[in-house]
């Protein structure tokens, strides 16, 4: 029997928890004027969604896309988990197809958790041995989530010991107006520093006076307290 998006959605509806959904809507800032205004939640925890993935592995891609286009956050998250599993197991042609599906549906990858769980796999891993100009196009987007995809996708490169694109994108995003980009960029810089502290320090020496406070705090979070305070006071 072919698994359809409607069947999956029926199962998700049965797992819904209205109380947890209300909490999630507050936590993910879905109110008027907030970054995820209007997003809808079912109140299903991520571990529950992850456990569903193996049994749904044979879901046809058009049905996964239908799930990705759902109004409900957890439906979209489950769709991304399914795409990630298919991508990891797929040949080059399938990986290309999934990567293109992802880019064509960024309007549905519209919260920080959806971006952060998927971008390093469905963008970063795909671009690892390819030209990376796409990241710079995304970093210049007017859409917050596409800019966050650009910087967090480089986590894949960081894990491989490659830092150049992270640092170049971090420089481009120094003046970004969105705190969610400051946090993501600081996080990626911190990950660089965990692997190569001198590289992070060299970047900071050039740019820390310009860095938004949140970005700097995230980047130096693991520094010894005395060193961290020197950066925060502008005394390095």
């Amino acid at each position: 029997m072919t698994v359809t998006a409607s069947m999956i959605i029926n199962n998700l509806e049965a797992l819904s928890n209205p109380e947890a959904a209300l909490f999630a809507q507050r936590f993910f800032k879905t109110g008027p004027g907030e970054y995820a205004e209007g997003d809808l939640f079912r109140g299903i925890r991520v571990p529950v969604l992850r456990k569903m993935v193996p049994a749904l592995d044979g879901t046809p891609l058009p049905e996964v896309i239908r799930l990705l286009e759902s109004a409900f956050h957890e439906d979209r998250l489950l769709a991304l988990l399914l795409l990630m599993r298919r991508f990891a197991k797929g040949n080059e042609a399938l990986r290309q197809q999934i990567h293109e599906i992802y880019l064509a549906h960024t309007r549905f990858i519209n919260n920080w958790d959806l971006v952060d769980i998927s971008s390093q796999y469905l963008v970063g891993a795909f671009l690892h041995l390819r030209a990376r100009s796409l990241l710079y196009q995304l970093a210049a987007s007017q859409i917050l989530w596409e800019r966050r995809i650009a910087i967090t996708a480089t986590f894949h490169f960081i894990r491989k010991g490659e830092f150049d694109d992270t640092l170049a994108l971090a420089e481009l995003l120094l003046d970004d107006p969105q705190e969610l980009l400051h946090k993501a960029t600081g996080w990626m810089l911190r990950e660089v520093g965990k692997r190569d502290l001198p590289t992070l320090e060299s970047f900071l020496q050039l740019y820390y006076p310009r860095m938004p406070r949140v970005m700097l705090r995230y980047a130096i979070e693991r520094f010894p307290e005395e060193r961290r305070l020197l950066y925060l006071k502008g005394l390095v």
Side-chain angles (χ1 to χ4, degrees):
M1 181 176 64
T2 300
V3 177
T4 67
S6 296
M7 293 164 60
I8 297 172
I9 287 170
N10 287 339
N11 289 336
L12 292 170
E13 287 174 349
L15 294 169
S16 296
N17 181 326
E19 184 177 344
L22 286 174
F23 174 83
Q25 285 174 220
R26 291 192 296 269
F27 180 77
F28 285 102
K29 307 296 184 185
T30 64
E34 294 183 311
Y35 61 73
E37 180 177 352
D39 201 359
L40 300 176
F41 284 78
R42 298 190 188 278
I44 305 171
R45 297 184 63 190
V46 175
V48 175
L49 297 173
R50 287 190 180 277
K51 287 182 180 178
M52 297 175 67
V53 170
L56 299 173
D57 195 29
T59 307
L61 278 178
E63 297 300 316
V64 178
I65 292 170
R66 285 184 58 202
L67 194 63
L68 183 58
E69 295 172 347
S70 170
F72 284 89
H73 190 98
E74 291 91 344
D75 302 13
R76 303 196 302 277
L77 178 53
L78 179 57
L80 291 170
L81 293 172
L82 290 169
L83 290 174
M84 289 159 56
R85 181 179 175 90
R86 198 76 57 87
F87 182 94
K89 296 168 58 179
N91 58 27
E92 282 303 302
L94 181 57
R95 289 185 173 207
Q96 171 106 29
Q97 184 181 10
I98 291 171
H99 173 72
E100 291 174 356
I101 288 168
Y102 187 85
L103 293 177
H105 290 80
T106 54
R107 65 191 182 279
F108 299 103
I109 307 165
N110 57 352
N111 213 315
W112 56 264
D113 63 319
L114 302 178
V115 170
D116 295 356
I117 206 169
S118 60
S119 60
Q120 63 175 300
Y121 301 105
L122 302 184
V123 177
F126 182 78
L127 295 179
H128 183 226
L129 299 177
R130 294 175 170 85
R132 299 174 185 178
S133 58
L134 169 67
L135 297 179
Y136 298 86
Q137 296 170 27
L138 292 171
S141 171
Q142 295 299 306
I143 300 171
L144 163 63
W145 307 116
E146 291 188 348
R147 303 199 303 279
R148 187 163 176 127
I149 287 170
I151 189 65
T152 57
T154 69
F155 204 172
H156 182 83
F157 312 149
I158 294 170
R159 292 179 187 276
K160 302 288 187 181
E162 301 172 15
F163 311 130
D164 288 352
D165 288 292
T166 303
L167 300 177
L169 289 164
E171 181 183 355
L172 289 175
L173 295 170
L174 283 173
D175 299 318
D176 196 280
Q178 292 288 344
E179 185 176 81
L180 282 171
L181 260 295
H182 305 167
K183 291 179 177 180
T185 304
W187 168 31
M188 290 300 103
L189 290 171
R190 184 176 71 235
E191 292 298 330
V192 170
K194 284 164 63 174
R195 294 159 177 83
D196 188 337
L197 185 57
T199 293
L200 174 56
E201 290 257 30
S202 294
F203 181 87
L204 292 175
Q205 287 296 308
L206 288 172
Y207 298 113
Y208 91 90
R210 283 182 54 198
M211 291 172 71
R213 199 70 166 175
V214 170
M215 187 188 297
L216 178 60
R217 285 186 178 276
Y218 270 58
I220 64 175
E221 187 176 72
R222 294 173 63 91
F223 280 27
E225 183 67 7
E226 183 177 351
R227 184 74 171 163
R228 192 178 67 82
L229 289 175
L230 287 174
Y231 271 107
L232 292 175
K233 293 176 181 178
L235 299 175
V236 178

